[in-house]
Amino acid sequence: MYVVGTHWRRQAALLLLLALFLPILAACGGQQGAAPEAPTEATEPTTETEAEAPTAADAEEEPTEADAEEEPTEETAAAEGDLLVVSAPDCEYGGILQEIAAIDEMTVQFTMCRPDPAFPVKAAFVPFSIQPSEHLEATDGSPLENPVGTGPYMVDTWDRGEQVVYSRFADYWGDPAQTETLVFRWSAEAAQRLLELQTGTVDAIDNPAPDDFVNAEEDENLQLIERAPLNIFYVGMNNTYPPFDNEQVRQAIAMGIDRRRIVDNFYPPGSSVATHFTPCAIPNACVGEEWYEYDPERARELLAEAGYPEGFETEIAYRDVVRSYLPEPGVVAQDLQAQLAEIGITTEINVMESGAFIAAADAGELEGLHLLGWNADYPDMTNFVDFHFGAGASQQFGEKFEDITSTLQEAASLADNEERRPLYEEANNLIKEHAPMVPIANGGSAVVYQADVAGAHASPLSNEYFAVVQPGERDTFVWMQNAEPISLYCADETDGESLRACEQVLEGLLRYEVGGTEVEPALATACEPSDDLTVWTCSLREGVMFHDGSELDANDVVMSWAVQWDASHPLHVGNTGAFTYFSALWGGFINEEGGDAAE
Amino acid sequence: MAVDVETVAISLPRRTAASPWRQALRRFSRQRSAIAGLLIIGTMILVAIFAPLIAPYDPEQVLLGIEDVGKRAPPCVHLLGCDEMQSQHIMGVDGNFRDQFSRVVYGTRVSLFIGFITVAVAMLAGVLLGAVAGYLGGWVEDVIMRILDVQLAFPFLLLAIAIVSVLGPGLMNAMLGIAIVTIPQYARVIRAGILATKEEEYAAAARAIGSSHPRILFRHILPNAISPLIVQGTLGIGIAILDVAALSFLGLGAQPPTPEWGSMLSSERNQVFSAPHLVFFPGMAIMLAVLGFNLLGDGLRDALDPRLKQ
């Protein structure tokens, strides 16, 4: 009996332990056989060896064409001879693109549903960079850590959490990189970045804290280069949640925030109060009425008229991540909290993890106020207003305002800025009237280099290009930014830290000048429009080599764009599969499940 | 025989043995470090109680537009030569134009509240579990103690972060998280005490006269096993303050604008070179609170341990 009793107790203890550990294992994702819902980084090849391992034979085994034959879709993604053509059956899907075709080995033609004068500035943006079609197939459409581009540097190693190391690409078609090695490091702490720069362990840093501008300028060992404030910081509201479904409430908040006080006290030199959503350096950005003046009395009246005479309670959500448009998120959030209290709005501050915050904002899940901003990707109105308020915009501000979206759509189809002006004037006035957000500041920011770095520059688009810098006699240039890149497949990234890391490796048909916003040829020697701006024909540069030794041709261009555009493409995988920039800038995807991409 | 007894009684010196608590107090008062700890904690308790009288400003009051103060202005003490025309802020002004001294003073309230409530919750649960496990023994003890062993196997702060991540950031959730992860410490301490005392004669006597189990446990055994718990609890308060400050530093504890030392440190961490006073004073306050409770706890341990009687 004694033995049996002990045995029973042991078995019970074992069962109990198992019962305890199973939920823990399950919570940690340890369940066997549970397929992930979406591809994640963990499921992707994580080393160069794994990613580069697939051979030509592997690539042939990719089921792209076979699948296309077995499951025909509305689009025609077929090879005509050796030349790829991808087209939408019609323009009803909501996007701008109608067809992308390789006309010959070195010519690609983009046919639009409607005139698109912004094609060059959009095509120069790094998410639309070109990679070899074979590499996209070999990596199953998600070359997250091992991009193969044509840029002056190629990725050598990426020690997750530590650094990305690039090495000079010897066969680069343009001027070779100045240094043999480029290293990207990161730290979220401005104090650490500055300390590392001062101690000489890095050659340049991004975003010094506002209070450090003076220190950096006075330090003769450093050179501070201010970045033109092509950005906007705003307080967003979602019109699907009360009380923000009431326009008067949104207007009350717009009048109840002293934006001058925020800019004067919490922003570095070079910053300015935003008069419109888009920074005024961009053509047509500041046409129309200026934003509401600070008027707390009128704000209280509006709240009372809206049925909230005693105010209400809500939250201020933000991510504690420094960006040039918001250099001190916590401090600004607390000042907004204090300001809103003066008009009767009690707020709780909710600091969220960066990725979760962006995802929640895009999905329209933030019920209160949220602090977010935008850095220019290319210097055109569409990059700001269409991305945020256009037909393809996210749910950040809730339901779209039809009068804004239709005006923007009309404006985007015009080529001449003077012709566009009245439309953007109307759009800006409508944005002010509906007040889906409150534009606060165009934040000044800077890049700080060691004094001996030649070619130092700061880009208004935050896409510093390090192939042109030479750090004294050193053969390695070390750059420290705010955060680690999320992935290096920038077709499916929106984070500026990722985009800058991609800029060093990947190139598109066109590109922006170093330190500026002018568009210049890159992999295409020219992209010529038809008279009605509906067809853009790009002639590719001869003799351009990819980092894997293959040569650039028109099919690589078509494939790089098609995997983003066609939602049913087997390689439409990416990192999260969102391909946010493509959707926002080109209006949507073809062959999306559940219908059109955009309404 | 009667004469002898009387004689002996008269011949003995008239001394009565001091009670154990009096002996402990005497031993405690002989330790300077313990007295220092008591003074620190006593002062902090007074500061917490009289914070509205000590602090010159509301800790959440933004002075922008009210006074001519600079953002992150350094300390200004008139007695030390600061210009009389400037308003006095003896610990400076923070990044949101609030008086740092007032925030540190009110932070004492928050931190002591955190320390006491966290330890009280953990102790309550730990004592119940540990006492039941130690008293009942057998499979009940096995189950309770193995569960607590599993919990102990997790890294302490990591588990607290996981709990707060699930519950959501906030001071109360941070306190609950820290309380949950510290339960095993108290349970193990009290269980050990129960195991040592439950076989004592007074416990056996209580059983012999038919006392109920709860009465024996809570009336006779527990009070005699409580000394180590007092020490553990005192040390635990300091640890709780430190841990909640750590969680607040990570953004998981007190949310702005609550004047909590950890979150004050966190919000000004990038100004460590340009405005060091904004991290120095909250950091010193955390250090003093933890030091005070540690010294007090060490003193109590030495005072309450009968083996150190001589």
Side-chain angles (χ1 to χ4, degrees):
Chain A
M1 286 298 289
Y2 174 75
V3 173
V4 171
T6 308
H7 183 63
W8 176 84
R9 276 202 294 271
R10 282 181 183 165
Q11 280 187 334
L14 265 174
L15 281 172
L16 183 72
L17 271 175
L18 274 173
L20 275 170
F21 274 110
L22 276 177
I24 296 168
L25 284 173
C28 295
Q31 269 183 308
Q32 295 292 318
E37 288 179 7
T40 62
E41 286 172 25
T43 62
E44 302 299 333
T46 52
T47 66
E48 280 200 353
T49 315
E50 282 176 313
E52 289 177 355
T55 59
D58 292 326
E60 283 168 15
E61 285 169 18
E62 290 298 321
T64 52
E65 290 184 12
D67 283 359
E69 282 170 19
E70 285 168 13
E71 295 174 19
T73 59
E74 286 182 21
E75 64 157 325
T76 49
E80 290 180 1
D82 285 329
L83 301 175
L84 283 176
V85 178
V86 184
S87 56
D90 52 45
C91 288
E92 298 303 310
Y93 77 100
I96 303 173
L97 280 169
Q98 189 175 10
E99 184 180 87
I100 307 172
I103 303 297
D104 59 44
E105 199 181 346
M106 299 306 283
T107 310
V108 184
Q109 192 173 71
F110 295 82
T111 307
M112 305 291 170
C113 291
R114 51 183 182 271
D116 186 13
F119 177 85
V121 284
K122 290 195 284 189
F125 192 24
V126 71
F128 312 118
S129 301
I130 311 303
Q131 299 200 42
S133 47
E134 294 81 6
H135 184 63
L136 291 172
E137 287 168 355
T139 54
D140 294 329
S142 56
L144 303 183
E145 298 191 358
N146 56 331
V148 170
T150 56
Y153 284 107
M154 49 190 185
V155 176
D156 200 358
T157 54
W158 183 353
D159 301 327
R160 278 279 181 188
E162 292 293 327
Q163 60 183 9
V164 183
V165 179
Y166 305 83
S167 56
R168 182 160 52 199
F169 178 41
D171 295 326
Y172 182 54
W173 59 269
D175 294 333
Q178 294 289 311
T179 55
E180 177 62 37
T181 308
L182 168 66
V183 177
F184 262 50
R185 291 178 54 205
W186 43 85
S187 167
E189 308 300 334
Q192 187 194 341
R193 291 197 298 274
L194 184 62
L195 186 65
E196 295 232 21
L197 185 68
Q198 287 171 328
T199 54
T201 53
V202 302
D203 296 299
I205 61 166
D206 195 15
N207 280 337
D211 291 355
D212 290 333
F213 269 53
V214 177
N215 298 337
E217 276 177 327
E218 289 175 353
D219 190 334
E220 60 184 18
N221 296 316
L222 306 177
Q223 48 177 326
L224 181 137
I225 301 175
E226 287 190 19
R227 190 185 272 141
L230 272 187
N231 60 48
I232 180 70
F233 161 57
Y234 57 82
V235 178
M237 294 165 267
N238 190 310
N239 65 14
T240 56
Y241 299 106
F244 304 108
D245 53 352
N246 188 319
E247 196 156 282
Q248 282 182 310
V249 169
R250 299 198 300 271
Q251 289 173 347
I253 290 171
M255 293 178 199
I257 296 175
D258 186 350
R259 299 172 304 135
R260 167 63 58 191
R261 160 170 149 169
I262 292 173
V263 172
D264 285 352
N265 292 294
F266 308 118
Y267 275 76
S271 308
S272 58
V273 176
T275 58
H276 297 77
F277 183 74
T278 312
C280 292
I282 291 173
N284 286 326
C286 295
V287 294
E289 296 168 23
E290 290 198 358
W291 197 254
Y292 302 96
E293 288 296 316
Y294 174 55
D295 188 351
E297 283 304 315
R298 180 67 188 135
R300 282 189 210 98
E301 285 171 19
L302 279 171
L303 284 177
E305 287 169 23
Y308 300 95
E310 304 299 321
F312 55 86
E313 290 183 10
T314 186
E315 71 167 25
I316 298 175
Y318 71 94
R319 53 177 180 162
D320 196 10
V321 173
V322 172
R323 289 288 182 270
S324 49
Y325 55 75
L326 186 53
E328 294 194 90
V331 174
V332 171
Q334 290 183 60
D335 194 64
L336 280 168
Q337 185 181 46
Q339 288 195 32
L340 291 170
E342 288 172 17
I343 59 169
I345 299 173
T346 308
T347 54
E348 243 183 56
I349 286 178
N350 178 16
V351 188
M352 297 176 68
E353 189 275 323
S354 180
F357 173 73
I358 295 292
D362 283 345
E365 292 168 356
L366 298 176
E367 298 184 14
L369 303 166
H370 62 272
L371 311 187
L372 201 45
W374 188 254
N375 277 313
D377 302 309
Y378 60 89
D380 190 81
M381 277 292 278
T382 53
N383 183 230
F384 280 80
V385 285
D386 285 45
F387 190 91
H388 290 87
F389 311 112
S394 74
Q395 297 299 307
Q396 185 183 164
F397 306 122
E399 297 294 329
K400 307 280 188 310
F401 299 94
E402 287 303 324
D403 47 0
I404 299 180
T405 54
S406 58
T407 310
L408 293 180
Q409 193 162 324
E410 196 181 339
S413 66
L414 298 175
D416 185 59
N417 273 332
E418 278 308 307
E419 283 182 53
R420 298 164 102 190
R421 184 186 172 93
L423 290 165
Y424 281 128
E425 190 174 328
E426 186 185 343
N428 279 341
N429 291 345
L430 287 168
I431 290 170
K432 180 185 175 185
E433 180 189 332
H434 294 310
M437 51 79 232
V438 185
I440 305 287
N442 304 126
S445 63
V447 178
V448 190
Y449 290 84
Q450 299 284 0
D452 66 351
V453 174
H457 64 279
S459 165
L461 303 175
S462 300
N463 60 344
E464 284 74 25
Y465 184 72
F466 299 119
V468 300
V469 300
Q470 174 60 54
E473 300 297 315
R474 302 181 290 282
D475 60 0
T476 299
F477 179 79
V478 184
W479 163 255
M480 182 171 253
Q481 58 183 20
N482 295 4
E484 182 170 14
I486 296 168
S487 87
L488 293 179
Y489 184 38
C490 284
D492 195 18
E493 299 298 345
T494 56
D495 181 58
E497 314 296 342
S498 302
L499 300 182
R500 189 190 286 111
C502 288
E503 293 272 0
Q504 319 305 322
V505 178
L506 301 166
E507 293 177 314
L509 295 170
L510 306 166
R511 68 183 178 191
Y512 306 109
E513 64 174 336
V514 175
T517 58
E518 289 297 317
V519 174
E520 58 185 32
L523 298 186
T525 51
C527 284
E528 299 293 344
S530 61
D531 290 342
D532 63 355
L533 297 171
T534 56
V535 178
W536 288 84
T537 307
C538 299
S539 308
L540 300 188
R541 192 178 295 277
E542 298 282 349
V544 173
M545 303 279 286
F546 284 107
H547 299 154
D548 63 358
S550 60
E551 267 196 61
L552 170 76
D553 63 28
N555 280 352
D556 295 321
V557 178
V558 177
M559 180 67 100
S560 295
W561 283 66
V563 296
Q564 297 191 53
W565 185 26
D566 183 357
S568 69
H569 198 290
L571 301 182
H572 183 80
V573 178
N575 186 10
T576 64
F579 296 96
T580 308
Y581 272 124
F582 196 95
S583 169
L585 303 188
W586 305 105
F589 306 116
I590 50 174
N591 300 320
E592 252 192 319
E593 260 182 47
D596 294 341
E599 294 170 6
Chain B
M1 290 296 287
V3 172
D4 288 343
V5 170
E6 192 177 346
T7 308
V8 170
I10 291 167
S11 64
L12 284 171
R14 293 179 64 81
R15 283 175 61 187
T16 54
S19 74
W21 289 108
R22 189 177 290 264
Q23 290 175 27
L25 185 63
R26 191 177 299 139
R27 285 197 293 273
F28 183 83
S29 62
R30 283 184 198 140
Q31 298 176 64
R32 287 180 188 168
S33 61
I35 295 296
L38 189 63
L39 280 174
I40 292 170
I41 300 307
T43 307
M44 286 195 159
I45 290 172
L46 288 175
V47 168
I49 292 170
F50 298 108
L53 300 176
I54 298 168
Y57 297 90
D58 181 307
E60 296 178 13
Q61 185 182 10
V62 177
L63 301 173
L64 194 61
I66 297 171
E67 283 185 9
D68 184 20
V69 289
K71 181 184 164 195
R72 299 194 174 104
C76 171
V77 184
H78 292 157
L79 280 174
L80 297 179
C82 179
D83 189 350
E84 293 280 343
M85 298 299 288
Q86 284 186 38
S87 50
Q88 178 165 273
H89 297 281
I90 62 174
M91 290 184 184
V93 176
D94 76 0
N96 279 94
F97 298 87
R98 296 173 298 210
D99 180 55
Q100 180 81 346
F101 175 64
S102 302
R103 291 181 66 74
V104 171
V105 166
Y106 273 90
T108 314
R109 259 186 185 186
V110 177
S111 290
L112 289 185
F113 172 78
I114 288 167
F116 284 118
I117 297 297
T118 305
V119 167
V121 170
M123 207 184 259
L124 191 68
V127 165
L128 272 176
L129 290 170
V132 169
Y135 182 74
L136 294 181
W139 68 268
V140 175
E141 183 183 24
D142 285 346
V143 169
I144 292 175
M145 296 317 292
R146 291 306 78 76
I147 290 173
L148 295 179
D149 284 346
V150 169
Q151 189 179 322
L152 274 176
F154 286 94
F156 180 76
L157 200 56
L158 204 61
L159 184 58
I161 288 171
I163 292 170
V164 178
S165 299
V166 171
L167 297 176
L171 188 56
M172 299 308 286
N173 289 343
M175 289 164 60
L176 188 61
I178 296 295
I180 289 171
V181 299
T182 49
I183 286 172
Q185 299 172 11
Y186 299 105
R188 289 171 74 89
V189 166
I190 201 69
R191 173 179 161 272
I194 297 284
L195 288 176
T197 53
K198 75 174 182 180
E199 302 303 333
E200 294 287 342
E201 289 175 358
Y202 52 81
R207 275 193 290 272
I209 61 172
S211 297
S212 66
H213 286 308
R215 184 176 176 83
I216 296 167
L217 177 58
F218 294 109
R219 184 71 188 268
H220 298 289
I221 297 177
L222 198 56
N224 289 291
I226 208 88
S227 298
L229 197 68
I230 294 171
V231 175
Q232 183 73 27
T234 310
L235 293 167
I237 293 172
I239 294 168
I241 290 173
L242 200 62
D243 289 337
V244 174
L247 289 180
S248 297
F249 187 88
L250 296 173
L252 297 170
Q255 297 298 299
T258 308
E260 198 274 333
W261 294 333
S263 76
M264 288 162 69
L265 264 180
S266 173
S267 61
E268 300 293 351
R269 65 188 184 276
N270 272 315
Q271 275 62 47
V272 67
F273 299 117
S274 55
H277 57 283
L278 295 179
V279 290
F280 175 78
F281 290 115
M284 283 298 291
I286 294 173
M287 187 274 284
L288 274 177
V290 177
L291 177 70
F293 281 109
N294 282 354
L295 291 177
L296 186 62
D298 281 347
L300 284 174
R301 186 183 56 205
D302 293 348
L304 295 173
D305 190 344
R307 287 169 299 185
L308 300 177
K309 197 171 178 178
Q310 301 306 319

